[in-house]
Amino acid sequence: MSLDAKIDGARQLLREVLDRHGPRRVAVAWTGGKDSTLALTLWRGVLRDGAPGARPLALNLDTGCKFPEVLAFRDRLADEWGVEMHIARPDVAPGYPVAVDRAACCRDLKVTPLLLALRRLDVAVLVTGIRRDEHPDRAARPAREPVAEPPHLRVHPVLDFTEMDVWAATMQLGLPHCELYGRGYRSLGCMPCTLPPEMAGDAGQGAGGERAGRAADKEAVLASLHALGYF
């Protein structure tokens, strides 16, 4: 499938979301990374055409361990694009042992704040930037993924895009991206769990590919995190 066909398919999926749910109960899970920025861009375009004047709603998980470059990019772009951004932060005690038990850390710093924010905002649809080819756990995901608690639908418009597709779309649509990509990072997570791919081998992180810089023990439990409510 060509890139243009993938973009058209993603837009059609989002148009169906808008037609069924309207603009106010749809949020984009926006990390500040390239994939979710593309998803946010596509949703903005659908809103512009189908609900003029509606501001895109973005939900951002700020674990307290994010790269300052990612946060600066997020804040600047949200302001430039008129994004209504809600930042979900964890409620943990000072001195929380970050990245000691990575599964527990992701649960406490990401999953729990995410689910609380979805309830608080009464989100009916969460649009994500996940892709099939970035992790084995995501390979068989459906484009529309119902979640029981809290009840909502997760929609993955760039699920069938490859890493190269995302960068090609980024260039084609003239989208900005975080400066860390220019320094060799291919996938941006929390600072304790993310290294540039060229450093990952020496540090024992990852197993090659786009997410090679992510902590291997965290990557191994992504299926469990998904079962808890992560995307």
Side-chain angles (χ1 to χ4, degrees):
M1 186 184 298
S2 70
L3 176 62
D4 285 342
K6 290 181 180 180
I7 291 175
D8 288 344
R11 285 174 172 153
Q12 180 55 37
L13 175 61
L14 293 174
R15 280 192 289 268
E16 293 169 4
V17 167
L18 178 60
D19 289 343
R20 181 166 183 179
H21 299 278
R24 294 305 307 161
R25 297 191 65 207
V26 179
V28 178
W30 185 37
T31 67
K34 64 188 187 305
D35 307 302
S36 61
T37 297
L38 176 57
L40 177 60
T41 297
L42 297 171
W43 178 239
R44 286 181 73 232
V46 167
L47 283 181
R48 183 178 59 247
D49 296 338
R55 295 176 63 193
L57 172 64
L59 176 56
N60 178 267
L61 300 177
D62 187 347
T63 61
C65 309
K66 296 293 186 179
F67 287 92
E69 293 89 345
V70 174
L71 300 182
F73 173 76
R74 175 200 71 186
D75 293 344
R76 175 177 62 81
L77 200 60
D79 182 60
E80 291 177 1
W81 283 5
V83 174
E84 181 181 342
M85 186 167 62
H86 289 262
I87 301 176
R89 294 182 173 90
D91 182 14
V92 294
Y96 180 89
V98 173
V100 174
D101 179 335
R102 296 190 198 268
C105 186
C106 284
R107 179 196 65 214
D108 296 340
L109 302 190
K110 292 182 176 181
V111 179
T112 298
L114 169 65
L115 300 183
L116 288 173
L118 291 172
R119 292 189 187 95
R120 184 176 68 253
L121 297 173
D122 191 27
V123 170
V125 179
L126 183 67
V127 177
T128 85
I130 70 167
R131 306 191 335 263
R132 294 189 196 282
D133 71 333
E134 65 181 337
H135 194 282
D137 178 65
R138 292 171 173 168
R141 299 277 186 90
R144 300 172 181 83
E145 185 178 13
V147 176
E149 186 55 40
H152 68 284
L153 179 68
R154 293 194 181 169
V155 172
H156 314 304
V158 300
L159 192 63
D160 290 323
F161 285 55
T162 64
E163 180 186 14
M164 187 62 70
D165 287 334
V166 171
W167 281 117
T170 297
M171 298 300 106
Q172 179 174 307
L173 299 174
L175 305 182
H177 56 272
C178 179
E179 65 189 78
L180 290 177
Y181 290 115
R183 302 182 198 170
Y185 290 87
R186 291 171 67 188
S187 181
L188 305 178
C190 293
M191 288 188 292
C193 299
T194 309
L195 292 174
E198 65 270 18
M199 296 174 59
D202 293 340
Q205 293 192 202
E210 181 181 0
R211 294 174 69 95
R214 298 293 191 99
D217 49 353
K218 183 261 185 178
E219 291 292 279
V221 297
L222 187 57
S224 298
L225 295 174
H226 178 235
L228 291 172
Y230 194 57
F231 42 85

